[in-house]
RNA sequence: GCUCCGGUGGCGAAAUGGCAAACGCUGCGGACUUAAAAUCCGCUGGGAGUAAUCCCUUGUGGGUUCGAUUCCCACCCGGAGCACCA
């Protein structure tokens, strides 16, 4: 290509007739997009479907803040990029409007949330339009719409039918003064946030989903790259939450109430099953601990201990859930008076109860090995229980005389030996005081002892998960009623599907009160219904379902919002799902994403979905930091975007947000940087003006040509990897080069505008039109690059002497080592450091660097 | 306490084994202007020097390497998540 230069005017703005007025441009294109349905792909005939999903917002009264805008814009940039690459991009939006936040706010104002939410949604729509999102508004949804929650209820019924939903008693926080259930966040320092009364635990019957049945599959898929290409940080969080532990379930035979009876040959007492990850330490299990709620507590409690045991259980029940878990670390507990037999040693061990053992994990009972577990050690020390060493650290063999735990070999009774700390290494160490297993290393001992106990019917190797079943019951007003009817004759009867939705009645007294029943139960015309089976007067379930159930399937609904007779259309779903790219915050890395995966897995199993993992690619976005903390409503450091958009324009603001840091890491919000992107857009605006006036099919010079191909490569890669800040930097460099070289060629400027379009959509549309193009720029083609044209003919090579850069030499691209060494040795700056020294070694990196190592 | 992610100019950041500080902000100087704003041009990590140039610099200390912001080990600081998970 010839490199004739086209000279244009130096000062771009001075010659411009039409100034850049963002408010005019943005209003024009937002109206035109709506009019021409630019952002509404044909969902039935799309050739290259691309489902670009962003986590839908909860429509708060305050509106979207800058942190939310950052996230939405980043997702939108990606969607627009894919659209320009020729995909049929579906970018839906909706509102996650049920839940405790809305309800609490409504209670505060004394207005039913059903009246508040629509106003908030109006505001959210306005903000999301203003920022220029490529949303397909035809498919907007709200979880509070009966047309939506009808299918949330339907989903519950499918799970119930499939045996994946069940009812069981579980603890909740209970305020004794307000007579109502409290969410964990409503408990402040063990007190009710509204009335200040001390919160208690109460046990209620609640609905659960059997997500634990899927723990192994939920874990296995995380490693399957064909199903899930997710942010590393997110899969890690899920792994930790699932919390897989390999270990053993061991059986301790409860033999009665005295040590003497326990020693008897074969006892008939109840068995206690425990889960342990350290079966190798079973010889050191000197006592057992049951959770206070454990069903076997009564069986082990002796008459003389009963009063104390009862008192302890009472005191645990009177604590709220938060402070029981997070509260004081000082170990508490009481002795039941009962004993059980250690299956390894045959010795009786006392059975205690303590709140540091949780009913929800494992079997709700543990074998306590105080020598090798920190908590058991603290407990043993406090209550004077035996501590036995059964694993010796690998390094203690050398200084036998010094280690206090090593003195134990001398025959002293284990309890008499002072032990300063538990040795808790899960992998290293050698067994002692363990009979035939002495001398084995920990990993071997785990296998050997488990096998040995299994043979004697006292244990088996099992895998345990931290994950609990998903409690979906909420004793609240603002959610979809759980579609179940209680009949005296037939028990819990599912509402027939034809009767869905069970409408949430619009009531004035939605506030909880001291009557002790749900607000819904006070509305008799709603509460009492005929049993679907026998027709006799029955009662509705008054719990509503968890908001996470609403959001666990919304991505299935979007493509099918116009179908009233099915939750998701099979054909649409086959075409558009699983979601191609999902972007959202890592605060939902665990619950929302896990629940969504669970729902997809179950529906897949039921033959209702053709896939089991709903999100093919997931990327967690970063967070905007303000004053050293993540921007959030709860922290009170939010910045409202509206005034920025008004002052600078949406396109400038979008670019600023995307430029301030890597999208997946977030960045610091400071208003003093917004002018940079705006100045950049002004320059581009002027450049287009120059091009329109002066371009006559001018040739592009070499420098601009190289920069152009480099820029296309860099911007494309940056967008694909969500490194938007470097893409924008590359565009800025490109413009700097064009201006420095005075080449306002149409061809080059068109590429520039297309690459700018994902970031500044209205601006790009307007300039596309100024350049005389018809239709939307988003139907244009993303530019390509030629790798050969990204490089210069000559390269500058850094010349180092012993690793320090001393000079640079310019050589033809691809020059060989000999040529470069020769050039370097001519260089005075290099010679100064090599003179009189022997070059011991030469390191040459073609086209980059030469290192002469001197001796 | 455990897990993960970070720490680079005055500020946001770039470079992930090969010329540290691209791009932008701020600041300073100049041009234009009666003036200001806007715009344009130049400089802007620290130190020494008239200068060419040299020395130092990516949280701290060590290591690997011809060469380390990048890899390894230990520590310090900040952020996020989990939190008595047996």
């Amino acid at each position: 290509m010839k490199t004739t230069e086209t000279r244009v005017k130096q000062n771009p703005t001075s010659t411009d007739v039409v100034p850049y007025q963002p408010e005019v441009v943005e209003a024009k294109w937002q109206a035109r997009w709506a009019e021409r349905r630019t952002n509404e792909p044909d969902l039935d005939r799309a050739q290259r479907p691309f489902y670009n999903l962003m986590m839908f917002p909860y429509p708060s009264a305050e509106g979207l803040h800058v942190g939310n805008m950052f996230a939405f814009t980043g997702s939108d940039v990606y969607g627009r990029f894919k659209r320009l690459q020729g995909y049929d991009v579906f970018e839906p939006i909706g509102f996650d409007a049920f839940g405790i936040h809305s309800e609490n706010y409504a209670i505060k104002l004394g207005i039913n949330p059903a009246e508040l939410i629509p106003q908030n949604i109006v505001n959210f729509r306005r903000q999301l339009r203003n920022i220029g999102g490529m949303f397909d508004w035809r498919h907007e949804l709200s979880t509070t719409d009966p047309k939506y929650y009808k299918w949330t209820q339907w989903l519950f019924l499918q799970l119930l039918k499939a045996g994946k939903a069940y009812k069981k008693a579980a603890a909740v926080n209970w305020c004794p003064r307000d007579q109502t259930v409290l969410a964990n966040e409503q408990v402040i320092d063990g007190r009710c946030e509204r009335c200040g009364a001390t919160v208690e635990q109460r046990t209620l019957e609640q609905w659960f989903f059997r997500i634990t049945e899927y723990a192994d599959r939920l874990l296995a898929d995380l490693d399957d790259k064909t199903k899930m290409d997710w942010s590393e940080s997110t899969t890690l969080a899920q792994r930790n939450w699932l919390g897989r532990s390999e270990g053993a379930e061991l059986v301790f035979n409860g033999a009665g109430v005295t040590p003497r009876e326990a020693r008897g040959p074969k006892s008939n007492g109840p068995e206690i099953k425990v889960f342990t990850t350290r079966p190798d330490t079973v010889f050191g299990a000197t006592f057992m601990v049951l959770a206070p709620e454990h069903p076997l507590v009564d069986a082990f409690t002796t008459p003389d201990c009963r009063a104390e045991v009862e008192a302890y259980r009472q005191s645990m029940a009177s604590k709220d859930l938060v402070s029981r878990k997070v509260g004081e670390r000082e170990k508490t507990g009481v002795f039941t008076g009962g004993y059980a037999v250690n299956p390894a040693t045959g010795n009786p061990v006392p059975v205690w109860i303590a709140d540091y053992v949780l009913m929800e994990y494992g079997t709700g009972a543990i074998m306590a090995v105080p020598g090798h577990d920190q908590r058991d050690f603290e407990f043993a020390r406090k209550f004077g229980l035996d501590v036995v060493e059964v694993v010796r650290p690998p390094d203690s063999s050398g200084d036998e005389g010094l280690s206090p735990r090593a003195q134990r070999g001398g025959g002293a009774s284990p309890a008499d030996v002072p032990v300063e700390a538990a040795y808790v290494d899960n992998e290293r160490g050698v067994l002692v005081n363990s009979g035939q297993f002495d001398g084995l290393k920990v990993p071997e001992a785990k296998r050997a002892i488990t096998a040995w106990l299994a043979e004697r019917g006292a244990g088996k190797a099992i895998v345990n998960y931290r994950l609990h079943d998903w409690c979906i019951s909420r004793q609240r007003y603002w959610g979809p009623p759980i579609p179940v009817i209680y009949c005296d004759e037939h028990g819990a009867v599912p509402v027939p599907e034809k009767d869905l939705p069970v409408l949430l009645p619009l009531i004035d007294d939605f506030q909880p009160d001291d009557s002790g029943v749900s607000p819904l139960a006070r509305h008799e015309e709603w509460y009492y219904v005929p049993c679907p089976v026998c027709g006799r007067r029955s009662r509705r379930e008054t719990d509503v379902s968890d908001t996470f159930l609403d959001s666990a399937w919304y991505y299935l609904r979007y493509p099918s919002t116009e179908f009233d007779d099915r939750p998701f259309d099979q054909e649409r779903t086959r075409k558009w799902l699983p979601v191609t790219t999902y972007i959202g915050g890592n605060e939902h890395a665990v619950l929302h994403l896990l629940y969504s995966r669970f729902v997809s897995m179950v529906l897949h199993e039921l033959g209702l979905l053709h896939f089991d993992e709903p999100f093919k690619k997931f990327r967690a976005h970063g967070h905007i930091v303000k004053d050293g903390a993540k921007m959030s409503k709860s922290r009170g450091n939010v910045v409202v975007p509206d005034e920025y958009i008004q002052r600078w324009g949406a396109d400038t603001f979008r670019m600023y947000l995307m430029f301030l840091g890597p999208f997946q890491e977030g960045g610091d919000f400071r208003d003093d940087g917004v002018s940079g992107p705006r100045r950049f857009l002004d320059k581009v605006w002027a450049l287009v003006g120059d091009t329109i006036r002066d371009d006559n099919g001018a040739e592009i010079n070499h420098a601009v040509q190289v920069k152009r191909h480099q820029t296309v490569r860099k911007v494309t890669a940056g967008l694909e990897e969500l490194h938007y800040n470097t893409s924008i930097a590359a565009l800025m460099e490109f413009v700097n080069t064009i201006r420095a070289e005075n080449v306002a060629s149409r061809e080059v400027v068109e590429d520039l505008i297309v690459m700018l379009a994902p970031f500044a959509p209205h601006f790009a549309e307007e300039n596309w039109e100024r350049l005389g193009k018809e239709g939307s720029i988003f139907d244009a083609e993303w530019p390509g690059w030629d790798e050969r044209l990204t490089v210069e003919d000559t390269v500058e090579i850094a010349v180092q002497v012993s690793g320090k850069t001393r000079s640079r030499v310019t050589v033809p691209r691809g020059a060989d080592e000999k040529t470069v060494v020769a050039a370097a040795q001519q260089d005075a700056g290099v010679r100064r450091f090599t003179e009189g020294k022997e070059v011991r070694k030469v390191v040459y990196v073609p086209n980059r660097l030469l290192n002469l190592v001197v001796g």
Side-chain angles (χ1 to χ4, degrees), chain A residues 388-530:
Chain A
V388 176
E389 180 193 40
V390 290
V391 180
R392 189 154 299 171
D395 56 333
S396 71
S397 49
D399 50 32
E400 197 87 13
L402 297 171
S403 162
R405 55 176 75 250
Q407 294 166 10
R408 199 168 295 137
S413 138
D416 297 334
V417 178
V419 175
E420 262 122 51
Y423 171 66
V424 294
D425 197 312
N426 189 22
E427 271 147 32
R428 289 172 311 164
V430 177
L431 263 67
V432 294
N433 294 325
S434 298
Q436 64 202 93
F437 301 99
D438 282 357
L440 283 185
K441 289 181 179 162
V442 165
E444 302 158 18
K446 284 184 182 175
R447 283 191 291 274
I449 292 180
T450 305
W452 176 66
L453 288 174
E455 227 168 83
R456 302 161 33 132
K460 59 182 181 205
I462 65 161
V463 169
N464 200 37
Y465 290 90
R466 206 195 78 116
L467 181 74
H468 303 147
D469 272 345
W470 174 13
C471 175
I472 61 138
S473 287
R474 296 292 180 271
Q475 295 73 35
R476 297 239 134 217
Y477 167 68
W478 191 232
I482 293 175
V484 168
I485 292 166
Y486 296 102
C487 167
D488 291 336
E489 177 79 22
H490 297 95
V493 181
V495 172
E497 285 179 27
K498 65 172 173 46
D499 294 341
L500 296 182
V502 176
L503 286 172
L504 180 69
L506 186 64
I507 57 177
D508 292 332
D509 54 339
F510 59 89
Q511 293 89 344
D513 68 4
D514 56 5
S515 67
V517 291
S518 154
L520 291 176
R522 291 195 296 262
H523 289 260
E524 299 197 349
E525 72 289 354
W526 182 86
Y527 183 53
Y528 291 108
V529 280

Side-chain angles (χ1 to χ4, degrees), chain A residues 114-130:
Chain A
E115 289 169 40
L116 289 174
I117 290 294
Q119 309 167 19
N120 294 351
I121 288 180
V122 166
N123 187 38
F124 267 61
R125 276 197 206 111
R126 179 188 61 81
Q127 285 188 301
L128 290 166
R129 263 186 234 270
N130 281 352

Side-chain angles (χ1 to χ4, degrees), chain A residues 321-329:
Chain A
L321 295 169
V322 183
S323 56
R324 170 153 175 208
K325 281 204 152 190
V326 190
E328 326 84 64
R329 276 299 141 81

Side-chain angles (χ1 to χ4, degrees), chain A residues 287-293 297 301 305-316 319 324 328-337 350-357 366 375-376 378-385:
Chain A
F287 60 101
M288 302 190 77
V289 186
L290 305 181
E293 322 73 319
V297 172
T301 304
C305 293
R306 188 158 303 276
E308 227 182 314
V309 166
E310 278 315 312
Y312 185 74
R313 296 178 92 180
Q314 279 295 317
S315 77
M316 283 309 114
K319 267 192 195 173
R324 170 153 175 208
E328 326 84 64
R329 276 299 141 81
E330 180 71 16
K331 295 283 175 291
T332 61
V334 294
F335 180 40
T336 61
V351 177
W352 287 63
I353 63 171
D355 72 335
Y356 82 93
V357 173
I366 61 159
R375 297 153 299 180
D376 297 346
E378 285 167 22
F379 194 81
R381 191 142 71 170
K382 177 156 177 188
F383 294 105
L385 295 158

Side-chain angles (χ1 to χ4, degrees), chain A residues 653-706:
Chain A
F653 195 61
R654 284 169 66 105
M655 287 202 85
Y656 168 66
L657 290 175
M658 297 301 97
F659 187 54
L660 101 181
F663 183 60
Q664 290 177 86
E665 287 165 38
D668 253 38
F669 187 83
R670 255 160 237 263
D671 24 12
D672 53 11
V674 196
S675 58
R678 175 56 194 266
R679 280 205 269 262
F680 170 69
L681 291 181
D682 282 333
K683 283 178 200 173
V684 175
W685 182 273
L687 191 62
V688 171
D690 290 341
T691 308
I692 298 162
R693 237 180 342 274
D694 295 342
D695 181 78
N696 43 15
E699 303 283 342
I700 306 157
N701 78 19
H702 187 65
V704 170
Q705 187 68 293
V706 169

